[in-house]
């Protein structure tokens, strides 16, 4: 279709998962329960950190921001998906789709850098404990968190600008349950070169750099732990990192599986891999820190007793 004859679409159709009514009801209940657990877990973590004096440390300051990002990223996707299950109308306005891309990409990259910041925090705590309070000062923590949000903002703005230059003429059907930048680029009828360059550059510069911080930090942490002579010392040092290491493994594992794995012959399988990354991960993170962290469990016990 010639670009001059293009009639820009004003609404996209999200195909979701299935047209079967019974399956839709089952999925609605399942995702509703997942979303409620996500809301309660992340909001509860934020409130617990703010209310507990023993959790006023850099690690929990970063964790509170991670919980906030998970809360927002789940909210930008799951409620719309639940409404689609109930109403049967799976349309989303062009402006709403652009907004969803912007916010989701902003929060996704912010989470990458927050996890990198938390890895650096654990590196300082394990490898340089004597200067920990000096290095991880309140001002430094604020700057690290602010930088994480700014990197996310840069990613969100870059993807949104690239999306605004695309034309959508022949098809408005997105074979997914939310507006994903990769799906939209594939759907476009205009030249996709610039959008693909922006997408790959952002992933390379921002995503890879944050991943390298995590990797290098944990290489140094493991090296330090192995140099400790006593088994009790090794156990104590490693215990300070287990929750974060588990969270990092789930986040990067699901994101790599979602975006870097070969496309499956089954579209349903691809959709469920995206669910794992976008819906399940924000729910699991607060559970990891509440179930595996003694300080969090102790703070919760004291708060309940009060």
């Amino acid at each position: 279709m010639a670009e001059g004859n293009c009639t820009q679409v004003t609404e996209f159709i999200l195909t979701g998962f299935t047209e079967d009514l019974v399956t839709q009801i089952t999925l609605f209940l399942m995702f509703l329960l997942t979303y409620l657990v996500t809301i309660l877990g992340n909001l509860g973590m934020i409130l617990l950190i703010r209310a507990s004096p023993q959790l006023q440390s850099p690690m929990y300051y970063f964790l509170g921001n991670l919980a906030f990002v998970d809360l927002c990223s789940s909210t930008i996707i799951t409620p719309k998906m639940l409404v689609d299950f109930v109403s049967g109308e799976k349309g989303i306005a062009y402006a709403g789709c652009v907004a969803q891309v912007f916010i989701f990409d902003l929060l996704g990259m912010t989470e990458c850098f927050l996890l990198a910041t938390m890895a650096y925090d654990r590196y300082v705590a394990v490898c340089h404990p004597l200067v920990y309070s000096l290095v991880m000062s309140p001002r430094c923590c604020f700057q690290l968190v602010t930088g994480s949000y700014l990197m996310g903002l840069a990613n969100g703005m870059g993807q949104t600008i690239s999306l605004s230059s695309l034309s959508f003429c022949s098809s408005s059907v997105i074979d997914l349950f939310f507006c994903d930048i990769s799906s939209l680029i594939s759907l476009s009828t205009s030249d996709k070169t610039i959008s693909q360059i922006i997408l790959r550059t952002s992933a390379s510069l921002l995503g890879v750099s944050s991943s390298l911080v995590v990797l290098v930090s944990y290489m140094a942490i493991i090296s330090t732990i192995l140099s400790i002579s006593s088994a009790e010392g090794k156990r104590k040092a490693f215990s300070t990192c287990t929750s974060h290491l588990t969270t990092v493994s789930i986040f990067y594992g699901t994101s790599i599986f979602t975006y870097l794995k070969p496309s499956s012959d089954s579209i349903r399988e691809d959709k469920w891999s995206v669910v794992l990354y976008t819906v399940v991960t924000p729910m699991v993170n607060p559970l990891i820190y509440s179930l595996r962290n003694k300080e969090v469990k102790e703070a919760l016990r004291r708060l309940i007793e009060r």
Side-chain angles (χ1 to χ4, degrees), residues 92-198:
I92 180 171
Y94 177 83
C97 195
V98 172
Q100 196 174 61
V101 168
F102 171 72
I103 298 174
F104 184 73
D105 286 356
L106 185 158
L107 295 171
M109 192 57 67
T110 298
E111 182 154 354
C112 284
F113 277 90
L114 281 176
L115 290 173
T117 297
M118 295 171 74
Y120 175 71
D121 171 73
R122 293 299 84 204
Y123 159 75
V124 178
V126 173
C127 301
H128 305 284
L130 297 180
V131 296
Y132 178 77
S133 58
L134 180 64
V135 174
M136 302 304 296
S137 63
R139 181 180 180 182
C140 179
C141 292
F142 175 78
Q143 290 174 340
L144 289 171
V145 169
T146 302
S148 298
Y149 284 106
L150 289 177
M151 291 298 101
L153 180 62
N155 182 60
M157 290 182 64
Q159 304 301 349
T160 305
I161 291 172
S162 70
L163 179 60
S164 64
S165 66
L166 298 177
S167 298
F168 302 91
C169 307
S170 60
S171 177
S172 61
V173 178
I174 302 175
D175 196 11
L176 207 59
F177 54 90
F178 76 107
C179 291
D180 177 65
I181 183 65
S182 300
S183 299
L184 287 167
I185 292 176
S186 301
L187 193 66
S188 173
T189 54
S190 58
D191 185 11
K192 309 168 187 178
T193 305
I194 295 178
S195 298
Q196 289 173 339
I197 290 175
I198 292 176

Side-chain angles (χ1 to χ4, degrees), residues 11 46 50 79 97 107 109 127 156 163 214 232 235 248 257-258 263 298 301:
E11 184 181 60
I46 294 171
R50 292 182 65 88
C97 195
L107 295 171
M109 192 57 67
C127 301
L163 179 60
V214 174
E232 178 62 22
R235 187 200 63 79
V248 166
F257 181 76
T258 299
S263 296
E298 180 63 20
R301 185 187 64 80

Side-chain angles (χ1 to χ4, degrees), residues 187-213:
L187 193 66
S188 173
T189 54
S190 58
D191 185 11
K192 309 168 187 178
T193 305
I194 295 178
S195 298
Q196 289 173 339
I197 290 175
I198 292 176
L199 181 63
R200 291 168 183 170
T201 302
S202 175
S204 300
L205 293 180
L206 300 179
V208 174
S209 62
S210 61
S211 304
L212 284 176
V213 172

Side-chain angles (χ1 to χ4, degrees), residues 8-78:
Q8 183 78 357
V9 301
T10 59
E11 184 181 60
F12 292 102
I13 304 299
L14 304 172
T15 60
F17 294 91
T18 179
E19 296 296 332
D20 182 70
L21 181 60
V22 176
T23 306
Q24 283 190 358
I25 294 174
T26 304
L27 291 176
F28 171 80
L29 295 175
M30 182 181 70
F31 285 124
L32 177 62
L33 178 61
T34 301
Y35 184 59
L36 291 176
V37 174
T38 302
I39 295 294
L40 292 174
N42 286 289
L43 188 59
M45 183 65 70
I46 294 171
L47 295 176
L48 180 63
I49 290 172
R50 292 182 65 88
S52 303
Q54 64 268 40
L55 299 184
Q56 303 306 307
S57 66
M59 181 176 72
Y60 295 107
Y61 174 64
F62 300 139
L63 178 57
N65 280 275
L66 180 66
F68 173 75
V69 169
D70 281 335
L71 182 65
C72 293
S73 63
S74 179
T75 300
I76 197 64
I77 290 178
T78 310

